[in-house]
Coordinates of all heavy atoms in Angstrom, one line a residue:
E28 N -5.3 49.6 -58.4 CA -6.0 50.5 -57.5 C -5.2 50.4 -56.1 O -4.6 49.4 -55.8 CB -7.4 50.1 -57.3 CG -8.2 50.4 -58.5 CD -9.7 50.2 -58.3 OE1 -10.2 50.4 -57.1 OE2 -10.4 49.8 -59.2
R29 N -5.3 51.5 -55.4 CA -4.8 51.5 -54.1 C -5.8 52.1 -53.1 O -6.6 52.9 -53.5 CB -3.4 52.2 -54.0 CG -3.3 53.4 -54.9 CD -1.9 54.1 -54.9 NE -1.3 54.2 -53.6 CZ 0.0 54.5 -53.5 NH1 0.7 54.7 -54.5 NH2 0.5 54.6 -52.3
E30 N -5.6 51.8 -51.8 CA -6.6 52.3 -50.8 C -6.2 53.7 -50.5 O -7.1 54.6 -50.2 CB -6.5 51.4 -49.6 CG -7.2 50.1 -49.8 CD -8.6 50.2 -50.2 OE1 -9.4 51.0 -49.6 OE2 -9.0 49.5 -51.2
G31 N -5.0 54.1 -50.3 CA -4.6 55.4 -50.0 C -4.2 56.3 -51.1 O -3.9 55.8 -52.2
Y32 N -4.2 57.6 -51.0 CA -3.9 58.5 -52.0 C -2.4 58.7 -52.0 O -1.7 58.8 -50.9 CB -4.5 59.9 -51.7 CG -4.6 60.8 -52.9 CD1 -5.7 60.7 -53.8 CD2 -3.6 61.7 -53.2 CE1 -5.7 61.6 -54.8 CE2 -3.6 62.5 -54.3 CZ -4.7 62.5 -55.1 OH -4.8 63.3 -56.2
P33 N -1.7 58.6 -53.2 CA -0.2 58.6 -53.2 C 0.3 60.0 -52.8 O -0.4 61.0 -53.0 CB 0.1 58.3 -54.7 CG -1.1 58.7 -55.4 CD -2.3 58.4 -54.5
A34 N 1.4 60.0 -52.1 CA 2.0 61.3 -51.7 C 2.7 62.0 -52.9 O 3.1 61.4 -53.9 CB 3.1 61.0 -50.7
V35 N 2.6 63.3 -52.9 CA 3.2 64.1 -53.9 C 4.7 64.2 -53.6 O 5.1 64.4 -52.4 CB 2.6 65.5 -53.9 CG1 3.3 66.4 -55.0 CG2 1.1 65.4 -54.3
P36 N 5.6 64.0 -54.6 CA 7.0 64.1 -54.3 C 7.4 65.5 -53.7 O 7.0 66.5 -54.2 CB 7.6 63.9 -55.7 CG 6.6 63.3 -56.6 CD 5.3 63.7 -56.0
A37 N 8.2 65.5 -52.7 CA 8.6 66.7 -52.0 C 9.5 67.5 -52.9 O 10.5 67.0 -53.5 CB 9.3 66.4 -50.7
G38 N 9.2 68.8 -53.1 CA 10.1 69.7 -53.8 C 10.0 69.6 -55.3 O 10.8 70.2 -56.0
Y39 N 9.2 68.7 -55.9 CA 9.1 68.5 -57.3 C 8.3 69.5 -58.0 O 8.6 70.1 -59.1 CB 8.6 67.1 -57.6 CG 8.7 66.8 -59.1 CD1 9.9 66.5 -59.7 CD2 7.5 66.8 -59.9 CE1 9.9 66.2 -61.1 CE2 7.6 66.6 -61.2 CZ 8.7 66.3 -61.8 OH 8.8 66.0 -63.1
F40 N 7.1 69.9 -57.4 CA 6.2 70.8 -58.1 C 6.3 72.1 -57.5 O 6.4 72.3 -56.2 CB 4.7 70.3 -57.8 CG 4.5 69.0 -58.6 CD1 4.4 67.8 -57.9 CD2 4.3 69.0 -59.9 CE1 4.1 66.6 -58.5 CE2 4.0 67.8 -60.6 CZ 4.0 66.6 -59.9
P41 N 6.1 73.2 -58.3 CA 6.1 74.6 -57.8 C 4.8 74.8 -57.0 O 3.8 74.0 -57.1 CB 6.2 75.5 -59.0 CG 5.7 74.6 -60.2 CD 6.0 73.2 -59.8
P42 N 4.7 75.8 -56.2 CA 3.5 76.0 -55.4 C 2.2 76.0 -56.1 O 1.2 75.5 -55.6 CB 3.8 77.4 -54.7 CG 5.2 77.5 -54.7 CD 5.7 76.8 -55.9
A43 N 2.1 76.6 -57.3 CA 0.8 76.7 -58.0 C 0.4 75.2 -58.5 O -0.8 74.9 -58.4 CB 1.0 77.5 -59.3
A44 N 1.3 74.4 -58.9 CA 1.0 73.0 -59.2 C 0.6 72.2 -58.0 O -0.3 71.4 -58.0 CB 2.3 72.4 -59.9
Q45 N 1.3 72.5 -56.9 CA 1.0 71.8 -55.6 C -0.4 72.1 -55.2 O -1.1 71.2 -54.7 CB 2.0 72.2 -54.5 CG 1.8 71.5 -53.2 CD 2.3 70.1 -53.3 OE1 3.3 69.7 -53.9 NE2 1.5 69.2 -52.7
T46 N -0.9 73.3 -55.4 CA -2.2 73.7 -55.0 C -3.2 72.9 -55.9 O -4.2 72.4 -55.4 CB -2.4 75.3 -55.2 OG1 -1.5 75.9 -54.4 CG2 -3.8 75.7 -55.0
M47 N -3.0 72.9 -57.2 CA -3.9 72.1 -58.1 C -4.0 70.7 -57.6 O -5.1 70.1 -57.6 CB -3.3 72.1 -59.5 CG -3.7 73.3 -60.3 SD -3.2 73.1 -62.0 CE -1.9 74.2 -62.2
L48 N -2.8 70.0 -57.3 CA -2.8 68.6 -56.9 C -3.5 68.5 -55.5 O -4.2 67.5 -55.3 CB -1.4 68.1 -56.8 CG -0.7 68.0 -58.2 CD1 0.7 67.7 -58.1 CD2 -1.4 67.0 -59.1
S49 N -3.4 69.4 -54.6 CA -4.0 69.4 -53.3 C -5.6 69.5 -53.5 O -6.3 68.8 -52.8 CB -3.6 70.5 -52.4 OG -2.2 70.3 -52.1
E50 N -6.0 70.3 -54.4 CA -7.5 70.4 -54.7 C -8.0 69.1 -55.2 O -9.1 68.6 -54.9 CB -7.7 71.6 -55.6 CG -7.5 73.0 -55.0 CD -7.5 74.1 -56.0 OE1 -7.7 73.9 -57.2 OE2 -7.4 75.3 -55.5
L51 N -7.3 68.5 -56.1 CA -7.7 67.2 -56.7 C -7.7 66.1 -55.6 O -8.7 65.3 -55.6 CB -6.8 66.8 -57.9 CG -7.2 65.6 -58.6 CD1 -8.5 65.8 -59.3 CD2 -6.2 65.2 -59.6
R52 N -6.7 66.1 -54.8 CA -6.7 65.2 -53.7 C -7.9 65.3 -52.8 O -8.5 64.4 -52.4 CB -5.4 65.3 -52.9 CG -5.3 64.3 -51.7 CD -4.1 64.5 -50.9 NE -4.0 63.5 -49.9 CZ -2.9 62.9 -49.5 NH1 -1.8 63.4 -49.9 NH2 -3.0 62.0 -48.6
A53 N -8.2 66.6 -52.5 CA -9.4 66.9 -51.6 C -10.7 66.3 -52.2 O -11.5 65.7 -51.6 CB -9.5 68.3 -51.3
A54 N -10.8 66.5 -53.5 CA -12.0 66.0 -54.2 C -12.0 64.5 -54.3 O -13.1 63.9 -54.1 CB -12.1 66.6 -55.6
A55 N -10.8 63.9 -54.5 CA -10.7 62.4 -54.6 C -11.0 61.7 -53.2 O -11.5 60.6 -53.2 CB -9.4 62.0 -55.1
T56 N -10.6 62.4 -52.2 CA -10.8 61.7 -50.9 C -12.0 62.2 -50.1 O -12.3 61.8 -48.9 CB -9.5 62.0 -50.0 OG1 -9.3 63.4 -49.8 CG2 -8.3 61.4 -50.6
A57 N -12.9 63.0 -50.7 CA -14.0 63.6 -50.0 C -15.2 62.7 -49.9 O -16.0 62.8 -49.0 CB -14.5 64.9 -50.7
G58 N -15.3 61.6 -50.7 CA -16.4 60.8 -50.7 C -16.1 59.5 -51.3 O -15.0 59.0 -51.3
A59 N -17.1 58.9 -51.9 CA -17.0 57.6 -52.6 C -16.1 57.7 -53.8 O -16.0 58.8 -54.3 CB -18.4 57.1 -53.0
R60 N -15.5 56.6 -54.2 CA -14.7 56.6 -55.4 C -15.4 57.0 -56.6 O -16.5 56.6 -56.8 CB -14.1 55.3 -55.6 CG -13.0 54.9 -54.6 CD -12.4 53.6 -55.0 NE -11.3 53.3 -53.9 CZ -10.3 52.6 -54.2 NH1 -10.1 52.1 -55.4 NH2 -9.4 52.3 -53.2
N61 N -14.8 57.9 -57.4 CA -15.5 58.3 -58.6 C -14.5 58.2 -59.8 O -13.6 59.0 -59.9 CB -15.9 59.8 -58.5 CG -16.6 60.3 -59.7 OD1 -16.7 59.7 -60.7 ND2 -17.0 61.6 -59.7
P62 N -14.7 57.1 -60.6 CA -13.8 56.9 -61.7 C -13.6 58.1 -62.7 O -12.6 58.2 -63.4 CB -14.3 55.7 -62.4 CG -15.2 55.1 -61.4 CD -15.7 56.1 -60.5
E63 N -14.7 58.9 -62.7 CA -14.7 60.0 -63.7 C -13.7 61.2 -63.2 O -13.4 62.1 -63.9 CB -16.1 60.6 -63.9 CG -16.9 59.6 -64.6 CD -18.4 60.0 -64.7 OE1 -18.7 61.1 -64.3 OE2 -19.2 59.1 -65.1
L64 N -13.3 61.1 -61.9 CA -12.5 62.2 -61.4 C -11.1 62.3 -62.1 O -10.5 63.4 -62.2 CB -12.2 61.9 -59.9 CG -11.6 63.0 -59.1 CD1 -12.4 64.3 -59.2 CD2 -11.4 62.6 -57.7
I65 N -10.6 61.2 -62.6 CA -9.3 61.2 -63.3 C -9.4 62.1 -64.5 O -8.4 62.7 -64.9 CB -8.9 59.8 -63.8 CG1 -7.4 59.8 -64.2 CG2 -9.8 59.2 -64.9 CD1 -6.4 60.0 -63.1
E66 N -10.6 62.4 -65.1 CA -10.7 63.3 -66.2 C -10.4 64.7 -65.8 O -10.2 65.5 -66.7 CB -12.1 63.2 -66.8 CG -12.3 61.8 -67.5 CD -13.8 61.6 -67.9 OE1 -14.5 62.5 -68.0 OE2 -14.1 60.4 -68.1
Q67 N -10.5 65.0 -64.5 CA -10.2 66.3 -64.0 C -8.8 66.6 -63.7 O -8.3 67.6 -63.3 CB -11.0 66.6 -62.8 CG -12.5 66.6 -63.0 CD -13.3 66.8 -61.7 OE1 -12.8 67.3 -60.7 NE2 -14.5 66.4 -61.7
F68 N -7.9 65.5 -63.9 CA -6.5 65.7 -63.6 C -5.9 66.7 -64.5 O -6.0 66.7 -65.7 CB -5.7 64.3 -63.8 CG -4.4 64.4 -63.3 CD1 -4.2 64.1 -61.9 CD2 -3.3 64.6 -64.0 CE1 -2.9 64.2 -61.4 CE2 -2.0 64.7 -63.5 CZ -1.8 64.5 -62.2
P69 N -5.2 67.7 -64.0 CA -4.7 68.9 -64.7 C -3.5 68.7 -65.5 O -2.5 69.5 -65.3 CB -4.6 70.0 -63.6 CG -4.3 69.2 -62.4 CD -5.0 67.9 -62.5
T70 N -3.4 67.7 -66.3 CA -2.1 67.4 -67.0 C -1.5 68.5 -67.8 O -0.4 68.9 -67.6 CB -2.4 66.2 -68.0 OG1 -2.9 65.1 -67.2 CG2 -1.1 65.8 -68.6
R71 N -2.3 69.2 -68.6 CA -1.8 70.3 -69.4 C -1.3 71.4 -68.5 O -0.3 72.0 -68.8 CB -2.8 70.7 -70.4 CG -3.0 69.8 -71.6 CD -3.8 70.4 -72.7 NE -3.8 69.5 -73.8 CZ -4.9 69.0 -74.4 NH1 -6.1 69.3 -73.9 NH2 -4.8 68.1 -75.4
E72 N -2.1 71.8 -67.5 CA -1.7 72.8 -66.7 C -0.4 72.6 -65.9 O 0.5 73.4 -65.7 CB -2.8 73.2 -65.7 CG -4.1 73.8 -66.4 CD -5.0 72.7 -66.9 OE1 -4.7 71.5 -66.8 OE2 -6.1 73.1 -67.4
L73 N -0.3 71.3 -65.5 CA 0.9 70.9 -64.7 C 2.1 70.9 -65.6 O 3.2 71.3 -65.2 CB 0.7 69.5 -64.1 CG -0.3 69.4 -62.9 CD1 -0.5 68.0 -62.6 CD2 0.3 70.2 -61.8
L74 N 2.0 70.5 -66.9 CA 3.1 70.5 -67.8 C 3.7 71.9 -68.0 O 4.8 72.1 -68.3 CB 2.8 69.8 -69.1 CG 2.6 68.3 -69.0 CD1 2.1 67.7 -70.4 CD2 3.9 67.6 -68.7
K75 N 2.8 72.9 -68.0 CA 3.2 74.3 -68.2 C 3.9 74.8 -67.0 O 4.8 75.7 -67.1 CB 2.0 75.2 -68.4 CG 1.2 74.9 -69.7 CD 0.0 75.8 -69.8 CE -0.9 75.3 -71.0 NZ -2.1 76.0 -71.1
L76 N 3.7 74.2 -65.8 CA 4.3 74.7 -64.6 C 5.6 74.0 -64.1 O 6.4 74.6 -63.5 CB 3.3 74.6 -63.4 CG 2.0 75.5 -63.5 CD1 1.0 75.1 -62.4 CD2 2.4 77.0 -63.5
V77 N 5.7 72.8 -64.6 CA 6.8 72.0 -64.1 C 8.0 72.1 -65.1 O 7.9 72.1 -66.3 CB 6.4 70.5 -64.1 CG1 7.6 69.6 -63.7 CG2 5.3 70.3 -63.1
S78 N 9.2 72.4 -64.5 CA 10.4 72.5 -65.3 C 11.0 71.1 -65.4 O 11.0 70.3 -64.5 CB 11.4 73.4 -64.5 OG 12.6 73.4 -65.1
S79 N 11.5 70.9 -66.6 CA 12.2 69.6 -66.8 C 13.5 69.9 -67.6 O 13.7 69.6 -68.8 CB 11.3 68.6 -67.6 OG 10.8 69.2 -68.8
P80 N 14.5 70.4 -66.9 CA 15.8 70.7 -67.5 C 16.5 69.5 -68.0 O 17.4 69.6 -68.8 CB 16.6 71.5 -66.4 CG 16.0 71.0 -65.2 CD 14.5 70.7 -65.4
W81 N 16.1 68.3 -67.5 CA 16.8 67.1 -67.9 C 16.3 66.5 -69.2 O 16.8 65.7 -69.8 CB 16.5 66.0 -66.8 CG 15.1 66.0 -66.4 CD1 14.5 66.7 -65.4 CD2 14.0 65.3 -67.1 NE1 13.2 66.4 -65.3 CE2 12.8 65.6 -66.4 CE3 13.9 64.5 -68.2 CZ2 11.6 65.1 -66.7 CZ3 12.7 64.1 -68.6 CH2 11.5 64.3 -67.8
R82 N 15.2 67.1 -69.8 CA 14.4 66.5 -70.9 C 15.3 66.5 -72.2 O 15.5 65.4 -72.8 CB 13.2 67.3 -71.2 CG 12.4 66.6 -72.3 CD 11.0 67.3 -72.6 NE 10.1 66.5 -73.3 CZ 10.3 66.2 -74.6 NH1 11.4 66.6 -75.3 NH2 9.5 65.5 -75.3
R83 N 15.9 67.6 -72.5 CA 16.7 67.6 -73.8 C 17.9 66.6 -73.7 O 18.1 65.8 -74.6 CB 17.3 69.0 -74.1 CG 18.0 69.1 -75.4 CD 18.4 70.5 -75.7 NE 17.2 71.2 -76.1 CZ 17.1 72.5 -76.2 NH1 18.1 73.2 -76.0 NH2 15.9 73.1 -76.6
P84 N 18.7 66.6 -72.6 CA 19.8 65.5 -72.6 C 19.2 64.1 -72.6 O 19.8 63.2 -73.2 CB 20.5 65.9 -71.3 CG 20.0 67.1 -70.8 CD 18.8 67.5 -71.5
A85 N 18.1 63.9 -71.9 CA 17.5 62.6 -71.8 C 17.0 62.2 -73.3 O 17.3 61.0 -73.7 CB 16.3 62.6 -70.9
V86 N 16.4 63.0 -74.0 CA 16.0 62.7 -75.4 C 17.2 62.4 -76.2 O 17.2 61.4 -77.0 CB 15.2 63.9 -76.0 CG1 15.0 63.7 -77.5 CG2 13.9 64.0 -75.3
Q87 N 18.3 63.2 -76.1 CA 19.5 62.9 -76.9 C 20.1 61.6 -76.5 O 20.6 60.8 -77.4 CB 20.5 64.1 -76.7 CG 21.7 63.9 -77.6 CD 21.4 64.0 -79.1 OE1 20.7 64.9 -79.5 NE2 21.7 63.0 -79.8
L88 N 20.2 61.3 -75.2 CA 20.7 60.0 -74.8 C 19.9 58.8 -75.3 O 20.5 57.8 -75.9 CB 20.7 59.9 -73.2 CG 21.2 58.6 -72.6 CD1 22.7 58.5 -72.8 CD2 20.9 58.6 -71.1
Y89 N 18.6 58.9 -75.3 CA 17.8 57.9 -75.8 C 18.0 57.7 -77.3 O 18.0 56.6 -77.9 CB 16.3 58.2 -75.5 CG 15.3 57.1 -75.8 CD1 15.4 55.9 -75.1 CD2 14.4 57.2 -76.8 CE1 14.5 54.9 -75.4 CE2 13.5 56.2 -77.2 CZ 13.6 55.0 -76.4 OH 12.7 54.0 -76.8
A90 N 18.0 58.8 -78.0 CA 18.2 58.8 -79.5 C 19.5 58.2 -79.9 O 19.7 57.3 -80.8 CB 18.1 60.2 -80.1
N91 N 20.6 58.5 -79.1 CA 21.9 57.9 -79.3 C 21.9 56.4 -79.1 O 22.5 55.6 -79.8 CB 23.0 58.6 -78.5 CG 23.3 60.0 -78.9 OD1 22.9 60.4 -79.9 ND2 23.9 60.7 -78.0
W92 N 21.2 56.0 -78.0 CA 21.1 54.6 -77.7 C 20.3 53.8 -78.9 O 20.8 52.8 -79.3 CB 20.3 54.4 -76.4 CG 20.0 53.0 -76.1 CD1 21.0 52.0 -75.6 CD2 18.8 52.3 -76.2 NE1 20.3 50.8 -75.4 CE2 19.0 51.0 -75.8 CE3 17.5 52.7 -76.5 CZ2 17.9 50.0 -75.7 CZ3 16.5 51.8 -76.5 CH2 16.7 50.5 -76.1
L93 N 19.2 54.4 -79.3 CA 18.5 53.8 -80.5 C 19.4 53.7 -81.7 O 19.3 52.7 -82.4 CB 17.2 54.6 -80.8 CG 16.1 54.4 -79.8 CD1 15.0 55.4 -80.2 CD2 15.6 53.0 -79.7
L94 N 20.2 54.7 -82.0 CA 21.1 54.6 -83.1 C 22.1 53.5 -83.0 O 22.4 52.8 -83.9 CB 21.8 56.0 -83.4 CG 21.0 57.1 -83.9 CD1 21.8 58.4 -83.9 CD2 20.6 56.7 -85.4
D95 N 22.6 53.4 -81.8 CA 23.6 52.2 -81.5 C 22.9 50.9 -81.7 O 23.5 50.0 -82.3 CB 24.1 52.4 -80.1 CG 25.3 51.4 -79.8 OD1 26.2 51.4 -80.6 OD2 25.1 50.7 -78.8
V96 N 21.7 50.8 -81.2 CA 21.0 49.5 -81.3 C 20.8 49.2 -82.8 O 21.0 48.1 -83.3 CB 19.7 49.5 -80.6 CG1 18.8 48.3 -81.0 CG2 19.9 49.5 -79.1
R97 N 20.4 50.2 -83.6 CA 20.2 50.1 -85.0 C 21.4 49.6 -85.7 O 21.4 48.7 -86.5 CB 19.7 51.4 -85.6 CG 19.3 51.3 -87.0 CD 18.8 52.6 -87.4 NE 18.6 52.7 -88.9 CZ 18.3 53.8 -89.5 NH1 18.1 54.9 -88.9 NH2 18.3 53.8 -90.8
R98 N 22.6 50.2 -85.4 CA 23.8 49.9 -86.0 C 24.2 48.4 -85.7 O 24.6 47.7 -86.5 CB 25.0 50.8 -85.5 CG 25.1 52.1 -86.3 CD 26.3 52.9 -85.9 NE 25.9 54.2 -85.6 CZ 26.0 54.8 -84.4 NH1 26.7 54.2 -83.4 NH2 25.6 56.0 -84.2
R99 N 24.0 48.1 -84.4 CA 24.4 46.7 -84.0 C 23.5 45.6 -84.7 O 24.0 44.6 -85.1 CB 24.3 46.6 -82.5 CG 25.4 47.3 -81.8 CD 25.1 47.3 -80.3 NE 26.1 48.2 -79.6 CZ 26.8 47.8 -78.6 NH1 26.8 46.5 -78.2 NH2 27.6 48.7 -78.0
V100 N 22.2 46.0 -84.7 CA 21.3 45.0 -85.4 C 21.6 44.9 -86.9 O 21.6 43.8 -87.5 CB 19.8 45.4 -85.2 CG1 18.9 44.7 -86.1 CG2 19.4 45.3 -83.7
G101 N 21.9 46.1 -87.5 CA 22.3 46.1 -88.9 C 23.6 45.3 -89.2 O 23.6 44.6 -90.2
S102 N 24.5 45.4 -88.4 CA 25.7 44.7 -88.6 C 25.6 43.2 -88.4 O 26.2 42.4 -89.1 CB 26.9 45.2 -87.6 OG 26.6 44.8 -86.3
R103 N 24.7 42.8 -87.6 CA 24.4 41.3 -87.4 C 23.7 40.8 -88.7 O 24.0 39.7 -89.1 CB 23.4 41.1 -86.3 CG 24.1 41.2 -85.0 CD 23.2 40.8 -83.8 NE 23.7 41.2 -82.6 CZ 22.9 41.3 -81.5 NH1 21.7 41.0 -81.5 NH2 23.5 41.7 -80.3
A104 N 22.8 41.6 -89.3 CA 22.1 41.2 -90.5 C 23.1 41.0 -91.7 O 23.0 40.1 -92.4 CB 21.1 42.2 -90.9
V105 N 24.1 41.9 -91.7 CA 25.1 41.8 -92.8 C 26.1 40.6 -92.6 O 26.4 39.9 -93.5 CB 25.9 43.1 -92.9 CG1 27.1 43.0 -93.9 CG2 25.0 44.3 -93.3
T106 N 26.5 40.4 -91.3 CA 27.5 39.3 -91.1 C 26.8 38.0 -90.9 O 27.5 36.9 -90.8 CB 28.3 39.7 -89.8 OG1 27.5 39.8 -88.7 CG2 29.1 40.9 -90.1
G107 N 25.5 37.9 -90.7 CA 24.9 36.7 -90.6 C 24.5 36.1 -89.3 O 24.2 35.2 -89.0

């Protein structure tokens, strides 16, 4: 837990997403802490609005790394 509300990264979210997050921040900072407020976090809506052009290359990089780890572990098992 933290006392202050975290800052939204500058330039990361488009205006519509920024508006959603600002509304949630207003609700979160308006009164006493409400643990149920996290259920209102607009995850699905934000995912539709946020671009992630890095995702495909990142997935491929991770898959390649896992294949390399698998090969190395497999070669150790064979050589002892």
Side-chain angles (χ1 to χ4, degrees):
E28 290 188 31
R29 39 185 315 168
E30 288 302 313
Y32 198 89
V35 176
Y39 184 78
F40 294 105
Q45 185 69 42
T46 298
M47 279 190 248
L48 293 170
S49 294
E50 290 170 357
L51 185 64
R52 180 182 186 148
T56 58
R60 288 185 181 208
N61 180 357
E63 295 173 7
L64 189 60
I65 194 68
E66 294 172 17
Q67 296 176 22
F68 192 83
T70 303
R71 286 194 173 119
E72 293 84 359
L73 289 173
L74 288 174
K75 292 175 190 174
L76 296 171
V77 174
S78 170
S79 54
W81 48 264
R82 188 178 191 292
R83 184 174 288 165
V86 168
Q87 187 62 55
L88 178 70
Y89 187 69
N91 291 345
W92 175 74
L93 287 174
L94 285 172
D95 186 54
V96 169
R97 182 176 170 190
R98 275 189 233 119
R99 290 173 190 234
V100 169
S102 69
R103 284 187 196 162
V105 172
T106 59

